[in-house]
């Protein structure tokens, strides 16, 4: 007979294997895309939190993968959506897969975490809400996490594509 702990472990192992499967499907799709585009890159898969994470890593000296990032990550966003669709086609389930190319998202995440911490400090010091510029859902999530880590609350306001984070004072 299974204990409640065993059942929880089985479901978390099932979720992990599902996310690993998503990563593998995404990696196959992206490898095909790299071949078609005649671009060199290595695929790295991981599971971060409750989502599959796939990165395309290339030779930094050539910067050829920047074509897959585009201006302000626009091409990367589109490529991530196409990859999620490829995963959905194979699994029948919606994917929350996160894609990074040439470390763009990792660098962006670090910049946004700093921005969120600075906005939190400003809101604490001034006692006034701090409104940030419009951001993508990914960018807002990173800022919300940084604000929460600083001990403050934040919320999103507005409609896409003008949706922004507002950091609330204590």
């Amino acid at each position: 007979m299974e204990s409640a702990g065993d059942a929880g472990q089985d479901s978390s192992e099932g979720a992990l294997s599902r996310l690993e499967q998503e990563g593998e499907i995404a990696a196959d799709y992206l490898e095909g895309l790299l071949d078609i585009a005649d671009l060199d890159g290595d695929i790295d898969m991981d599971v971060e939190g409750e989502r599959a994470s796939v990165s395309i890593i290339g030779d930094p000296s050539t910067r050829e993968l920047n074509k897959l990032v585009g201006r302000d990550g626009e091409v990367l966003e589109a490529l991530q959506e196409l990859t999620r669709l490829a995963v959905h086609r194979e699994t029948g389930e919606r994917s929350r897969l996160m894609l990074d190319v040439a470390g763009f998202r990792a660098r962006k995440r670090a910049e946004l975490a700093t921005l969120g911490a600075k906005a939190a400090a400003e809101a604490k010091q001034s006692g006034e809400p701090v409104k940030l510029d419009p951001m993508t859902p990914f960018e807002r999530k990173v800022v919300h996490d940084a604000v929460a880590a600083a001990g403050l609350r934040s919320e999103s306001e507005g409609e896409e594509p003008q949706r922004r984070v507002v950091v609330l004072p204590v």
Side-chain angles (χ1 to χ4, degrees), residues 90-125:
E90 292 291 319
T91 65
E93 295 182 28
R94 184 177 171 269
S95 172
R96 294 180 55 234
L97 176 128
M98 184 64 69
L99 176 64
D100 193 4
V101 174
F104 176 82
R105 277 201 205 272
R107 288 187 303 278
K108 189 77 169 171
R109 183 177 282 128
E111 291 170 12
L112 291 165
T114 300
L115 175 67
K118 285 180 180 176
E122 181 182 335
K124 266 185 196 176
Q125 194 265 335

Side-chain angles (χ1 to χ4, degrees), residues 115-116 118-124 126-135 140 143-144 147 152-159 162-169:
L115 175 67
K118 285 180 180 176
E122 181 182 335
K124 266 185 196 176
S126 72
E128 297 291 323
V130 175
K131 290 185 178 188
L132 300 177
D133 291 336
M135 297 178 186
R140 290 193 308 270
V143 172
H144 285 305
V147 170
L152 291 183
R153 285 185 332 105
S154 59
E155 54 190 36
S156 293
E157 71 175 24
E159 299 295 321
Q162 295 300 311
R163 199 152 168 85
R164 69 183 68 241
V165 173
V166 178
V167 180
L168 303 170

Side-chain angles (χ1 to χ4, degrees), residues 57-77:
I57 303 161
D59 181 354
S61 66
T62 67
R63 301 177 54 104
E64 73 177 358
L65 289 180
N66 287 348
K67 296 172 189 171
L68 297 179
V69 173
R71 187 174 53 100
D72 296 326
E74 290 172 342
V75 175
L76 173 57
E77 287 291 330

